[in-house]
């Protein structure tokens, strides 16, 4: 995506500088583990699309030749660019409606055109993620069409993505401006932002359901609610939601069974690790002074987290059970037992660390990463040693659960 | 009802509480006065179960806060000086969550929450996420949360500082009513006038120790009624209020 064209004014320079800082901060703000997870996800998605594209493109080459392959690749990339425009436009529309992030923009002496360009730039960032599937499709076509044709397709994708994103944001802005009352003296952006600020002040949530039930169930419901709302727990919920279905989809790829089994198992472990991170993030969402002054014991807190752990592992196993049907009954059962035990141990470790280090969830995330890293390294060095270490960590953290009652905030 | 015996608490080299003992009887509002750093918040946080004492014990309606924490916390309401919340849920969702945790009957808890929201002037904002609340509104919500379950012991740590005038008057009235029902209230404040008006006795903390205990008669025995300014203000509010629905 090309950067927006700013006129040469001090405000334009300030916006360019702000955007550079924002991009840098957002990249640095993602911790190393999450960066690696995102890279792994991008690799998996790219690889998946590579295989999905390679076989039909190869068939196309045999039937209609190189030109048809290049045309198919170009059409796919243009469709992706259009999707990018849709993503950027819908995100821009939502942000204009709810009020864009940042300072109180209307209080700053800024030309509305400049501000509008900056807000569109900020809304467009997720569309860049389409570079990953586009790269997967281009790699899938490598060798099936001349390289310079594919380079042209890549260039066309970059240009059309930038154009689609710009068009999407422009449509979003015009739609937002049309939806607010007309005031000829005011710039449309000013009207849109002023209306958004009024909406933001009066944002309402649905009325709660007043209900009883055991304490662990109330805590579990609260955990689900916090994962639904814009909290750090919601951000952590996304990777396992993506990884668990990918782990099941592996079985449908044209792979040898041993390779598919290994890949599915590795992805299931990765899904369990990110799921454990979500469980820890939930612990981080509980305000210390709220939870500790309530008549809540460690059993209820741990029970709520383990209910989530058990439900997550059950869903993951259901996907694997459906996917691994190609295996004979005995290896199938063994694979499920092995995967279930490993993923449940990892999820339990996350739940335990979240409880025993409360309210220092950052320490819990580091402990989890360290424990899983050591277990994996040990498994590579000596078969099964990693499992011994993992189970030891689970048992050790279980023994420390009663500490929860005496933990302090500082 | 609330007994604090020989309570000590140290932060590294600072002795924040030094063998503090006090008792709040049923139906009594005990004021806690002291300069910044005197140990008021430390005492209340320890009594609420947020930090363990180094020595001594705290008993809430017969239950030791650190030996029987769940029983003690069932009988305790705590309104802290700087309240924290689940920021992304609404005020009503927050009280519904607390009511479920405390095992309150849902319909009665909803009615009680509405009554508290109404008296504190929050009733129009209960469906908004807490992160949109001003400082005063957050303190009101914390106060409502502490009172939701009719606790026999109430700990208020500068709980009504930051309230607007009408809500402060309503809160004081609620506290008096709770005390009349037999609740023991430990009320910490920097505002001596509030303590003078509201409290039956006052404990003055100084450098972590109980410096003095005063009864109402010791500070001139001003009654707990309204000041002329408060009466005038309430009169204006009453005149401007819309008529009650039939």
């Amino acid at each position: 995506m090309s950067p927006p064209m700013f006129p040469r004014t001090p405000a334009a320079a300030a916006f360019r500088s702000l955007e550079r800082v924002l991009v840098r901060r957002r990249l640095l703000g993602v911790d190393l583990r999450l960066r690696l997870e995102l890279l792994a996800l991008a690799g998996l998605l790219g690889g998946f699309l590579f295989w999905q594209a390679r076989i039909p493109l190869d068939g196309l080459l045999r039937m209609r030749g190189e030109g048809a392959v290049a045309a198919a690749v170009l059409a796919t990339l243009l469709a992706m660019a259009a999707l990018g425009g849709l993503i950027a436009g819908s995100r821009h529309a939502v942000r204009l409606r709810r009020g864009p992030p940042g300072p109180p923009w209307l209080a700053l002496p800024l030309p509305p055109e400049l501000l509008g360009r900056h807000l569109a730039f900020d809304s467009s960032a997720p569309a860049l993620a389409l570079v990953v599937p586009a790269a997967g499709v281009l790699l899938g076509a490598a060798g099936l069409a001349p390289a310079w044709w594919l380079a042209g397709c890549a260039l066309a994708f970059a240009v059309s993505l930038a154009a689609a994103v710009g068009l999407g944001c422009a449509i979003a802005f015009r739609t937002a401006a049309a939806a607010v009352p007309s005031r000829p003296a005011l710039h449309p952006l000013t009207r849109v932002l002023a209306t958004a600020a009024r909406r933001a002040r009066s944002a309402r949530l649905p009325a709660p359901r007043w209900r009883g039930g055991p304490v662990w169930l109330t805590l579990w419901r609260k955990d689900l609610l916090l994962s639904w709302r814009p909290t750090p727990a919601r951000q952590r919920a996304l990777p396992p939601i993506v990884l668990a279905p990918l782990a099941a989809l592996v079985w449908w790829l044209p792979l040898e069974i041993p390779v598919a089994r290994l890949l599915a198992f590795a992805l299931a472990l990765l899904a369990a690790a990110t799921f454990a991170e979500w469980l820890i993030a939930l612990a981080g969402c509980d305000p210390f002074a709220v939870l500790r002054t309530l008549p809540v014991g460690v059993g209820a807190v741990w029970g709520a987290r383990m209910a989530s752990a058990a439900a997550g592992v059950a869903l993951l196993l259901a996907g694997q059970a459906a996917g691994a049907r190609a295996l004979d009954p005995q290896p199938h059962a063994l694979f499920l037992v092995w995967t279930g035990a490993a993923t449940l141990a990892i999820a339990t470790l996350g739940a335990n660390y979240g409880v025993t280090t409360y309210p220092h969830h950052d320490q819990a995330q580091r402990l989890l990463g360290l424990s899983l890293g050591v277990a994996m390294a040990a498994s590579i060095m000596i078969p099964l040693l990693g499992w011994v270490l993992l189970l030891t960590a689970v048992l050790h953290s279980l023994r420390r659960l009663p500490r929860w009652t005496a933990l302090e905030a500082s | 009802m609330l007994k604090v015996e020989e309570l000590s608490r140290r932060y590294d080299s600072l002795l924040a509480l030094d063998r503090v003992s006090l008792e709040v009887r049923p139906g009594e509002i005990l004021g806690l006065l002291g300069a910044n750093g005197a140990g008021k918040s430390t005492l209340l946080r320890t009594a609420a179960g947020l930090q363990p004492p180094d020595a001594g014990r705290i008993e809430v309606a017969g239950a030791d806060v650190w030996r029987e924490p769940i029983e003690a916390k069932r009988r305790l309401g705590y309104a802290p000086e700087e309240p924290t919340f689940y920021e992304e849920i609404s005020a009503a969702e927050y009280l519904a969550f607390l009511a479920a945790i405390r095992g309150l009957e849902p319909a009665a808890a909803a009615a009680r929450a509405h009554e508290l929201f109404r008296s504190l002037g929050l009733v129009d904002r209960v469906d908004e996420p807490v992160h949109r609340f001003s400082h005063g509104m957050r303190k009101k919500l914390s106060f409502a949360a502490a009172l939701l379950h009719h606790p026999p012991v109430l700990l208020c740590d500068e709980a009504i500082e930051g309230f607007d005038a009408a809500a402060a008057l309503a809160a004081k009235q609620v506290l008096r009513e709770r005390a009349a029902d037999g609740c023991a209230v430990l009320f910490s404040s920097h505002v001596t006038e509030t303590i003078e008006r509201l409290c039956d006795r006052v404990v003055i903390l100084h450098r972590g120790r109980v410096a003095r205990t005063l009864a109402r008669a010791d500070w001139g025995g001003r009654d707990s009624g309204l000041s002329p300014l408060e009466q005038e203000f309430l009169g204006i509010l009453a005149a401007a209020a819309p008529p009650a629905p039939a």
Side-chain angles (χ1 to χ4, degrees):
Chain A
M1 186 174 32
S2 64
M5 299 298 288
F6 284 124
R8 293 181 186 281
T9 64
F15 268 124
R16 275 196 299 271
S17 167
L18 171 69
E19 282 158 8
R20 278 196 298 273
V21 170
L22 282 176
V23 169
R24 198 179 313 127
R25 287 236 173 124
R26 281 169 190 164
L27 287 175
L28 294 176
V30 180
D31 70 24
L32 181 64
R33 223 175 26 252
L34 194 54
R35 259 185 266 175
L36 291 175
E37 285 167 15
L38 288 173
L39 271 178
L41 273 177
L44 284 167
L45 183 65
F48 180 76
L49 281 167
F50 171 85
W51 279 114
Q52 292 298 308
R54 184 80 184 173
I55 295 166
L57 287 178
D58 190 50
L60 204 58
L61 175 69
R62 288 166 202 279
M63 284 191 295
R64 297 190 186 171
E66 291 174 335
V69 170
V73 168
L74 184 63
T76 309
L77 294 183
L78 290 179
M80 283 185 188
L83 179 65
L86 191 66
I87 291 171
S90 49
R91 187 164 188 250
H92 198 47
V94 169
R95 287 179 148 209
L96 289 176
R97 183 178 156 69
R98 290 185 183 165
W105 292 112
L106 290 181
L108 297 175
L110 292 170
E113 294 79 12
L114 265 185
L115 179 57
R117 284 191 196 104
H118 168 72
L119 296 179
F121 170 87
D122 215 23
S123 298
S124 308
L128 277 178
L130 286 162
V131 169
V132 173
V137 171
L138 278 168
L139 284 174
L144 304 180
W148 65 271
W149 285 12
L150 294 181
C153 288
L155 185 65
F157 171 70
V159 172
S160 57
L161 182 63
V165 160
L167 183 66
C169 289
I171 292 172
F173 173 61
R174 290 196 177 231
T175 310
V180 296
S182 174
R183 295 270 298 274
L186 293 178
H187 189 278
L189 184 64
T190 308
R191 288 188 281 118
V192 167
L193 294 184
T195 311
R198 279 203 300 279
R199 279 199 204 101
R201 276 200 300 276
S202 62
R204 293 194 177 273
L205 296 168
R209 288 182 63 189
W210 294 77
R211 50 188 170 186
V215 173
W216 72 265
L217 186 60
T218 303
L219 290 170
W220 186 70
R221 284 194 201 115
K222 179 265 304 166
D223 281 351
L224 290 188
L225 183 65
L226 292 179
S227 300
W228 188 252
R229 301 274 163 83
T231 61
R234 185 166 84 172
Q235 290 172 10
R236 291 283 184 181
L238 191 62
I241 288 172
V242 173
L243 282 167
L246 274 181
L249 284 174
V250 161
W251 292 101
W252 276 274
L253 288 178
L255 300 171
E256 296 289 324
I257 281 187
V259 177
R261 184 165 48 198
L262 183 68
L263 199 54
F265 185 63
L267 278 172
L269 292 189
L270 196 58
T274 55
F275 188 68
E277 287 183 332
W278 170 66
L279 292 172
I280 293 173
L282 283 174
C285 288
D286 282 329
F288 186 77
V290 171
L291 200 57
R292 294 308 297 276
T293 51
L294 290 174
V296 171
V298 65
V301 176
W302 187 76
R305 299 279 144 72
M306 283 309 294
S308 293
V313 169
L315 284 173
L316 197 145
L317 277 186
Q320 290 300 314
R325 278 172 305 179
L327 295 174
D328 291 334
Q330 200 176 351
H332 185 259
L334 184 65
F335 176 77
L336 290 184
V337 168
W338 199 252
T339 308
T343 51
L344 186 62
I346 291 170
T348 305
L349 195 61
N352 290 356
Y353 281 159
V355 172
T356 55
T357 62
Y358 182 67
H360 305 290
H361 66 284
D362 49 339
Q363 289 178 9
Q365 298 282 16
R366 281 197 291 274
L367 263 178
L368 178 74
L370 188 68
S371 303
L372 296 183
V374 169
M376 199 168 70
S379 245
I380 292 168
M381 285 187 288
I382 302 171
L384 296 182
L385 181 60
W387 299 113
V388 174
L389 290 180
L390 181 61
L391 290 177
T392 307
V394 171
L395 291 175
H396 179 65
S397 58
L398 275 173
R399 286 185 59 222
R400 288 165 64 88
L401 285 175
R403 278 167 43 92
W404 186 84
T405 315
L407 291 170
E408 287 189 56
S410 57
Chain B
M1 191 67 90
L2 173 69
K3 278 188 193 165
V4 177
E5 292 175 3
E6 295 288 308
L7 192 70
S8 294
R9 168 77 197 194
R10 182 179 284 280
Y11 298 117
D12 298 323
S13 60
L14 175 72
L15 187 58
L17 291 176
D18 185 8
R19 288 170 291 151
V20 170
S21 296
L22 56 86
E23 181 174 1
V24 191
R25 296 185 279 262
E28 182 182 44
I29 304 179
L30 179 69
L32 200 56
L33 261 183
N36 291 334
K40 303 186 301 293
S41 290
T42 300
L43 172 58
L44 287 163
R45 285 174 59 81
T46 311
L50 285 172
Q51 53 191 25
D54 295 328
R57 63 191 296 267
I58 303 151
E59 201 179 284
V60 173
D64 187 294
V65 171
W66 289 94
R67 290 195 184 137
E68 308 156 82
I70 294 182
E71 268 314 303
K73 288 169 189 177
R74 275 191 223 286
R75 301 165 194 181
L76 193 68
Y78 172 55
E81 181 184 3
E82 292 295 336
T84 50
F85 302 98
Y86 295 99
E87 298 286 335
E88 301 298 337
I89 68 176
S90 70
E93 285 173 328
Y94 180 60
L95 289 205
F97 165 70
L98 297 186
I101 289 281
R102 292 190 177 281
L104 306 183
E105 199 276 310
R112 169 75 171 152
H114 182 77
E115 175 196 328
L116 285 165
F117 285 141
R118 190 188 47 73
S119 65
L120 295 172
L122 277 180
V123 78
D124 293 333
R125 309 289 297 270
V126 296
D127 292 328
E128 290 182 32
V130 178
H131 70 79
R132 292 188 194 279
F133 279 18
S134 68
H135 179 66
M137 289 164 67
R138 292 168 73 88
K139 295 202 72 160
K140 287 178 186 177
L141 178 58
S142 167
F143 188 74
L147 286 158
L148 181 68
H149 55 297
H150 296 286
V153 174
L154 188 59
L155 306 174
C156 296
D157 189 0
E158 302 187 24
I160 63 173
E161 264 100 279
F163 280 27
D164 54 70
L169 289 172
K172 284 185 245 178
Q173 186 55 36
V174 169
L175 288 176
R176 287 190 192 105
E177 287 168 9
R178 289 299 304 136
D181 286 346
C183 175
V185 182
L186 182 55
F187 185 89
S188 157
S189 177
H190 282 121
V191 185
T192 49
E193 195 182 2
T194 306
I195 288 199
E196 272 184 352
R197 295 250 175 91
L198 193 63
C199 300
D200 305 304
R201 285 190 303 139
V202 171
V203 165
I204 299 177
L205 278 185
H206 183 62
R207 293 185 181 170
R209 290 185 173 192
V210 174
R212 210 167 161 200
T213 303
L214 300 168
R216 172 168 286 280
D218 295 328
W219 66 80
R222 281 171 62 173
D223 65 31
S224 60
L226 302 172
S227 72
L229 177 60
E230 286 170 337
Q231 284 178 14
E232 190 70 22
F233 180 71
L234 276 187
I236 292 168
L237 282 186

